[in-house]
Amino acid sequence: MGLLRYTTYRFIQAIPVLIGISILTFILANLTPGDPVRLMVQGQEVTPEQIERIEAQYGLDRPLHERYLDYMAGLVQGDMGYSFHRNRSVSELIASRIGPTLLLILSAYVFALITSIPLGILAAKRRNEPFDHVSRIIALIGVSTPSFWIGIMLILIFAVQLGWLPSAGLVYPWWSPEVYGHSGYLEHFYQTIRYLLLPMVALGTLQMATLMRVERTQMIESLQGEYVKLARAYGVPERTILRKHAFQVAQLPIITIVGLNLSTALGGAVLTEFVFNINGLGRLFYEAIIQLDYQLIMGITMVIATMFVIGVIITDIAYAYIDPRVTYGEAE
Amino acid sequence: MANNQQLWARRRVLATGGAVSAATIAGCIGGNGDDDGNGDDEVADISEYQHDREEPDDEEAARQSELEFLQPADPDEDYDPVVSFDSYSMQVANLVFDGLYEWDDELNLEPKIADGMPEEEDDGETYFFDIQEGIEFHNGDEVTASDVAHSFTAPVEEETQNAATYGMIESAEPVDDYQLEVTLEHPYGPFTMSTMAVPVVPEAVRTEDTEAFNTDPVGSGPFQFAEFQPGEYVELERWDDYWDEPQPYVQRIRFEAAPDDANRVAQVLAGDTDVIDTVPATEWDEVDGADGVRIHGSRSPSYMYLAFNCNEGETTDPDVRRAVGHSFSMREFVNEHLGPAADPLSSPIPEVTNESGGWEFPMDEWEDEMPEYDPDQAQELLEGAGVPDDWEPRIIAPEGGPREQLAERIGSRLSEIGYGADVQGMSFATLVDTYNTGNVDDYEMYLLGWTGGPDPDVYYYNLFHESQAGVGQGHFYEGEGDFHDNILNARESADQDERRDLYVDVTEEIIEYLPVLPAYSEHNTMAAREEVKDLHAHPSVSYNPRIVSDYQNTWIDE
């Protein structure tokens, strides 16, 4: 199977997965205790008849399977429904909130990759030396500390105590500098980085810690590989061995982990957005759940699930592309 | 029957939800934290956080002020008062629109666009409003009686969520450009204290494109819409041709939402914002002790309560309900968990409602009649009522806030006298589905809150009248004698003395039979940088930050 066919095949495979997720989410959201209409009209004088009328207006009085089929029929036509809590279309709401989340996750990954790989290599090279021990402790703390707590600590230190960085919000690079009153693109870029720094570190620390340890292990393994020994025997300089031979092989698991950790990153983004007051998809998702806004819950879940599935597919394809030993599913 | 002042109530309930959810994690504030039931009974006074008026040395500099205000919840972003149904959209709209009448800082209704109080005819069924001449909307159109008529009738005609607020109005017809005749379907007591505070919208602009008006409104208030980024912020700018005095100092004001308590507090402490709405009780000490920040507070008409299931189970017996009242100390709880952020209550009427409405209810007497902490008496009453030894009532409350802590407190006190409690903190959505089933398996007690205004009807009708059983209340108290008739008669009377007497009877019965145990009233609070001058918290959350009125003109001293 060629790469193109494999890619197509993987995308087709994703369809039943997404349908399964949609069914599960629809059932779970609708079975969650609580009545969205009653929640919406809390505090207003309403009669049971009025509640029934509102339920009928939004189709909440119809059987679950009918509502689901209606929803899916709309979805394939690009209609993600209407958030009756917010008086806005779901796609409009998601479109307005997805940018900050993607920016946050992307920057967290960039932070994690540019820190974890050199640190992992260094730890491997200095195995069982003090640097390795320190990096192990850092990794342990990074893996076991929730991102929101790291976020709160960062705010307390760098925003409240030192006053170096802003405690909340984001400067969107896709908005023009005039919106923020910035003098030009240079200041705009600088402010974007300033605002991004703390949430990026908060969200990226877990990824960084995980990747650093994987990188270290892989590098140690690679450095002990036969081909490295052979290269050494041929007198290939150590720097070249590290860069050309050991390093390349060691990156394969990193790609897998980066792809699979996307769900963790999305989960972490929800809390990070809350702590840093970022108006992203995560915060919208949280609010939708609190308000039992079914349509919005469904819409965001589908978007997140699609992002995750695509992430996994890209990982698989990248893996297959980079490592010639990985086949595209043909019988051997 | 449609009715009433629920607009305000709804907005306030939402706001209170925000305020209450604000105090998310258990914490001891202002108390000694002991758990023996004999804590310090001294209740902290919110008036310490009401600051004196301030005047700028340099008025021109003050007029350069720009202010950022952080809201504790995302607004629905409906800025047309005909549509707007949440406090946080109304915080913005109340600066853009003037009311026909408005509440002052003690919740007294005072004329704004109206020229004096209305002339009343037909025993409170007809009102004639005079409108001041020469008031202009931001587009230059003059405010006329037909604009006010539209403001009264549009919510019902367009069936917006505010329809119930104005549902008792039969007609609103301009007599001429400056006089309006409003006829009610029947006399309606809360009309003059609440409904008349309608924000006035320009009929012509609004009806041209109601959807556009909702996110780009035109009013006659001291600020006009400048910029709106959905999901991000809304900015208002000073309206330099504002018709009323004083003219605002603040040039520009920006509203953003910051629902996370810790984040909101961090932002004001770090100087990243000027004012935050709602100081969480758990963060009170930190904010209060911080350099460069001041807390501003005001009592509010919020009312938290413990309700008993009078439909099924042991709590159908009034002695059992009284026993629960004797089993713990409400004052001690409020001191420990809410400190200066709340006052204990002894009736379904918050103090600020009593004062602002001029009701002169016998609050002190009612306080004396409330059950006090007396575990022996509680035990005696429970034994006398034949409550089984293994009684373990289910108490449900919104999770993660002071009300859940109160439920836990009651549970631990009951266990000290040989019983127990199954305390269940629930998400608000689940609670809304559970608290009014009347089923003993669902609950024997529940904790909730409500917020009204200067008229008691919103508390009594919604929370006690039999028509609301299973809808707005889940105690299913049947009442003795004329209990329910009194509530109904009080809302359908325009005679305040008569209404007062009816409410006194109703309250005394509540205190005697205790279908509900009043708990506490949570204050409205803001925290601001010290540079923010002449800021005063208003009892109604949707009037904060009021910025400009006859008792304040906020500016930033930089």
Side-chain angles (χ1 to χ4, degrees), chain B residues 34-56:
Chain B
D34 69 3
D35 208 33
D36 61 7
N38 298 312
D40 182 4
D41 265 5
E42 194 60 42
V43 175
D45 189 355
I46 194 67
S47 63
E48 289 170 21
Y49 300 92
Q50 290 161 351
H51 306 286
D52 293 339
R53 286 219 58 180
E54 294 160 306
E55 296 288 344

Side-chain angles (χ1 to χ4, degrees), chain B residues 4 12 29 35 38 46 95 102 193 202 221 276 278 298 345 373 387 433 444 488 504 536:
Chain B
N4 81 14
R12 297 289 290 109
I29 291 178
D35 208 33
N38 298 312
I46 194 67
L95 291 170
E102 289 181 356
M193 283 202 185
I276 62 166
T278 308
S298 162
L345 279 181
Y373 176 61
V387 171
D433 229 18
E444 277 186 271
L488 203 58
V504 168
H536 304 275

Side-chain angles (χ1 to χ4, degrees), chain A:
Chain A
M1 200 188 289
L3 186 61
L4 185 66
R5 276 187 65 196
Y6 177 71
T7 307
T8 316
Y9 173 69
R10 291 290 284 112
F11 273 100
I12 290 171
Q13 261 190 333
I15 293 171
V17 173
L18 289 173
I19 291 176
I21 291 170
S22 71
I23 293 173
L24 206 64
T25 313
F26 201 84
I27 293 171
L28 286 176
N30 282 275
L31 292 184
T32 305
D35 179 341
V37 176
R38 291 268 295 282
L39 200 59
M40 190 171 76
V41 300
Q42 256 293 293
Q44 197 189 25
E45 186 178 329
V46 285
T47 62
E49 291 74 31
Q50 283 172 303
I51 288 179
E52 278 171 23
R53 209 180 62 221
I54 298 169
E55 282 175 347
Q57 193 181 336
Y58 294 108
L60 295 171
D61 57 340
R62 295 166 56 214
L64 203 60
H65 66 277
E66 271 184 35
R67 284 159 54 197
Y68 173 75
L69 290 175
D70 268 5
Y71 178 79
M72 290 307 280
L75 195 64
V76 293
Q77 296 170 58
D79 176 10
M80 298 179 88
Y82 196 79
S83 159
F84 60 85
H85 269 283
R86 288 169 179 264
N87 243 355
R88 308 277 190 280
S89 84
V90 169
S91 47
E92 184 189 323
L93 283 165
I94 291 175
S96 69
R97 299 287 193 99
I98 200 166
T101 305
L102 292 179
L103 177 67
L104 183 60
I105 291 175
L106 199 69
S107 64
Y109 269 125
V110 169
F111 163 74
L113 285 169
I114 61 172
T115 50
S116 65
I117 291 176
L119 289 174
I121 294 171
L122 215 56
K125 269 187 75 181
R126 298 184 181 170
R127 192 180 174 193
N128 294 330
E129 290 177 24
F131 181 83
D132 189 26
H133 298 314
V134 172
S135 80
R136 190 177 296 137
I137 292 167
I138 292 172
L140 189 69
I141 294 170
V143 169
S144 47
T145 313
S147 56
F148 75 89
W149 193 83
I150 295 176
I152 292 170
M153 290 303 113
L154 290 173
I155 289 173
L156 283 177
I157 297 166
F158 293 100
V160 177
Q161 293 301 325
L162 300 172
W164 292 349
L165 291 166
S167 57
L170 269 189
V171 167
Y172 302 152
W174 52 88
W175 283 8
S176 76
E178 290 82 46
V179 173
Y180 297 97
H182 297 156
S183 57
Y185 282 97
L186 199 63
E187 192 200 343
H188 194 45
F189 179 71
Y190 167 70
Q191 290 296 346
T192 302
I193 300 294
R194 276 189 78 229
Y195 276 82
L196 199 54
L197 217 52
L198 295 185
M200 175 185 86
V201 173
L203 185 60
T205 302
L206 170 64
Q207 312 292 342
M208 186 267 278
T210 316
L211 293 175
M212 186 168 78
R213 295 314 288 171
V214 172
E215 181 71 27
R216 175 189 173 275
T217 312
Q218 290 301 315
M219 282 301 289
I220 289 170
E221 239 176 65
S222 295
L223 289 169
Q224 289 169 348
E226 292 301 320
Y227 52 96
V228 170
K229 284 180 189 163
L230 194 67
R232 279 204 184 109
Y234 275 106
V236 177
E238 195 64 22
R239 180 184 283 262
T240 313
I241 289 174
L242 203 66
R243 186 163 47 86
K244 289 196 86 175
H245 300 281
F247 179 71
Q248 272 192 9
V249 177
Q251 299 325 302
L252 284 171
I254 296 284
I255 293 168
T256 316
I257 288 167
V258 165
L260 295 179
N261 274 7
L262 193 60
S263 61
T264 321
L266 284 165
V270 174
L271 294 170
T272 308
E273 284 174 12
F274 214 67
V275 169
F276 286 95
N277 206 32
I278 294 169
N279 290 319
L281 208 57
R283 193 169 125 186
L284 188 67
F285 195 34
Y286 170 84
E287 289 155 8
I289 292 167
I290 294 294
Q291 294 168 332
L292 282 187
D293 196 335
Y294 295 151
Q295 300 280 40
L296 197 51
I297 293 172
M298 276 302 290
I300 299 173
T301 308
M302 291 314 294
V303 167
I304 290 177
T306 309
M307 277 164 62
F308 179 62
V309 168
I310 290 173
V312 171
I313 292 172
I314 290 173
T315 309
D316 284 355
I317 294 167
Y319 206 86
Y321 183 73
I322 291 168
D323 189 348
R325 292 171 302 176
V326 177
T327 65
Y328 302 136
E330 282 175 340
E332 289 182 338

